[in-house]
Amino acid sequence: MQQSQWSSRLGYILAAAGSAVGLGAIWKFPYVTAANGGGAFLLVFLLFSFTLGVAVLMGETLLGSLSRRGVVGAMASLAGPRWRWLGAMGLLCSLLIFCFYSVVGGWTLGYTAMALSGSLNSGDGAALTARFNDYVADPFWPLLSHLAFAALAWCCVQGGVQKGVERTLRWMMPSLLVMMLLLAAVGLTLPGAMAGVRHFLLPDFDKLGMEGVLDAMGLAFFSLSIGLGIHTTYGAYLSDSEGVGRSSLWVVLLASLIAVLAGLMIFPVLAATGIDPTAGPGLTFMTMPAVFQQLPFGQGLASLFFALLVVAALSSAISLLEHLQCFVSESWGWRRRSSCTLIIALVMAGGIPVSLSFGPWSGVTLFGKNIFELLDFVTSNLMMPLFGLGLTLLLGWRLGRAILPKGLGQPWQALLLGGWRWLAPLLIGGILIRGLV
């Protein structure tokens, strides 16, 4: 692993941004924004992204660039073996997330196939909602698409850092950005589109509240893939730690741009199609097919859109797999292909009960949550905040100035240390409490 490196700083930025720019930016950000005051939520989200997000992302990356190790090895070598448990928790959380994320990624594959076949050719929002609910409850097709999606991730990562991960994301990210720009531009031409834009951009602070602020904090933090140790793994492939601050800023900028574009792509069509903007995670699957029915070559555009949703999902899945296989290769000395195969086998097996939890196993619940909801709750509300809290305490109090990059000015050092020691633990602690009560 120590010999693996990105071919360029741009390759690293695109890969790190790809980790952050997953389905969450497209399918979660719009409906959470709609439920929390539109532009008010957006402002808070961007504020936390460019302060807390940049600081913690930079610190997580520095762990890898200075140690040239994955998250467990980095924490052990820089802070002592007692910190290995924190890296191990990040790895376990990544594996659990991968199990249900692969199921959702499989949905994008299934919807791509349905768009190609023409079975999504409906402008009726209620019909599209029913179509989505019927699809995820099916015991066979979502399961098959989950296995296919996991296999796609294996194909992208087993080739190596440069020839696998970097080469794939170099065309994935620009393609996704171009398509989103095109769809946003088309959506703005629909009747009533500007009402949706106003809903998205105009702040309504009466609807925000403290709960909305905490949601914006959590989304800004975790939408950057902070809280898992992925950026430590990616940082280990950098040739040095110089420029980590600028690179982190670029990653946050690209991730925020995608989130804003997702809002401009989704909100303008809500008024035109009559679909509830707070409809939940299925919003993208229920909204976009209705859009394409109002456009020339709608079926082709729908097929391309859902194919690019596959790209967005796959970009995050690649980072999860690379993160996990790095640990296996580093700890046990396995070849990359064998490490990837082991992880994907675990993900395929773990995703089966997750997929069935919407259909035959929907009655299997714990604390009122099905298997999918339980994994999502445990990872998002408990494990990721705990890892993030431990990470900031490690950065601010255990390592401190020793990990700061050379050449960083004194004012920036003070701001970064203050963020690690005080602001980040306080805010992440608030996210943790918010998620548990």
Side-chain angles (χ1 to χ4, degrees):
M1 195 278 293
Q2 286 82 354
Q3 285 73 41
S4 299
Q5 284 191 8
W6 304 110
S7 66
S8 66
R9 185 70 60 164
L10 175 61
Y12 158 70
I13 291 172
L14 290 176
S19 172
V21 178
L23 281 177
I26 300 174
W27 80 324
K28 185 175 184 179
F29 179 76
Y31 80 79
V32 175
T33 302
N36 290 282
F41 182 89
L42 177 61
L43 287 173
V44 177
F45 170 79
L46 292 176
L47 174 64
F48 285 118
S49 293
F50 284 93
T51 52
L52 174 68
V54 171
V56 181
L57 174 61
M58 182 178 174
E60 190 173 315
T61 305
L62 283 169
L63 290 176
S65 64
L66 291 173
S67 67
R68 304 300 303 280
R69 306 283 300 276
V71 64
V72 173
M75 290 183 173
S77 63
L78 294 175
R82 286 181 298 179
W83 287 89
R84 290 176 62 88
W85 66 270
L86 183 61
M89 183 171 65
L91 287 168
L92 177 59
C93 186
S94 298
L95 181 61
L96 294 176
I97 288 174
F98 201 175
C99 288
F100 68 80
Y101 192 81
S102 179
V103 173
V104 179
W107 295 352
T108 67
L109 285 176
Y111 260 66
T112 301
M114 286 191 285
L116 287 168
S117 69
S119 60
L120 296 180
N121 292 344
S122 172
D124 184 354
L128 290 168
T129 300
R131 179 65 170 149
F132 174 76
N133 292 332
D134 290 343
Y135 175 75
V136 299
D138 188 276
F140 177 72
W141 291 110
L143 184 58
L144 182 63
S145 62
H146 148 63
L147 299 176
F149 181 83
L152 273 178
W154 181 91
C155 293
C156 294
V157 175
Q158 57 86 30
V161 173
Q162 292 186 19
K163 295 183 179 179
V165 177
E166 186 175 348
R167 179 181 292 176
T168 303
L169 291 171
R170 272 183 176 270
W171 67 264
M172 272 188 179
M173 298 309 297
S175 298
L176 181 64
L177 184 61
V178 168
M179 188 59 182
M180 292 185 73
L181 285 169
L182 174 63
L183 289 172
V186 171
L188 290 172
T189 66
L190 297 175
M194 295 313 297
V197 174
R198 288 192 294 269
H199 190 177
F200 177 47
L201 295 180
L202 291 181
D204 185 352
F205 289 99
D206 291 336
K207 293 183 179 180
L208 182 60
M210 183 52 64
E211 186 172 335
V213 171
L214 290 172
D215 283 341
M217 247 189 329
L219 191 60
F221 188 74
F222 300 123
S223 66
L224 294 172
S225 293
I226 299 169
L228 296 171
I230 289 173
H231 294 290
T232 297
T233 298
Y234 276 10
Y237 302 145
L238 290 170
S239 57
D240 55 58
S241 59
E242 291 186 14
V244 167
R246 290 191 300 273
S247 298
S248 299
L249 187 60
W250 273 108
V251 170
V252 173
L253 181 63
L254 286 174
S256 300
L257 176 61
I258 294 294
V260 171
L261 278 176
L264 292 175
M265 187 174 66
I266 299 294
F267 273 84
V269 304
L270 298 180
T273 59
I275 297 177
D276 183 6
T278 61
L283 180 62
T284 299
F285 297 96
M286 293 180 279
T287 301
M288 297 315 295
V291 175
F292 298 121
Q293 296 313 301
Q294 304 182 39
L295 305 173
F297 311 107
Q299 184 175 341
L301 286 173
S303 302
L304 186 56
F305 170 77
F306 284 110
L308 286 170
L309 278 186
V310 175
V311 171
L314 197 55
S315 65
S316 288
I318 286 171
S319 67
L320 288 167
L321 179 53
E322 178 61 32
H323 179 44
L324 291 163
Q325 83 76 30
C326 173
F327 169 74
V328 174
S329 298
E330 185 180 89
S331 300
W332 301 341
W334 286 22
R335 293 179 180 270
R336 169 178 285 268
R337 178 168 293 191
S338 300
S339 301
C340 290
T341 301
L342 172 64
I343 299 302
I344 288 300
L346 292 173
V347 169
M348 285 181 169
I352 292 174
V354 174
S355 181
L356 295 177
S357 69
F358 291 94
W361 291 8
S362 59
V364 179
T365 61
L366 184 63
F367 305 115
K369 302 180 185 296
N370 64 25
I371 298 171
F372 181 100
E373 293 166 342
L374 185 64
L375 284 180
D376 185 23
F377 177 84
V378 169
T379 54
S380 301
N381 295 52
L382 183 61
M383 297 182 74
M384 289 183 72
L386 282 175
F387 180 92
L389 185 61
L391 173 68
T392 54
L393 294 175
L394 168 66
L395 293 170
W397 297 102
R398 177 64 179 86
L399 298 175
R401 294 186 182 276
I403 201 176
L404 293 176
K406 297 178 181 179
L408 190 66
Q410 188 64 35
W412 291 110
Q413 290 186 23
L415 284 173
L416 199 55
L417 283 173
W420 290 345
R421 289 177 175 175
W422 305 107
L423 180 61
L426 178 64
L427 296 181
I428 296 171
I431 295 170
L432 177 62
I433 295 171
R434 160 73 174 82
L436 294 178
V437 297

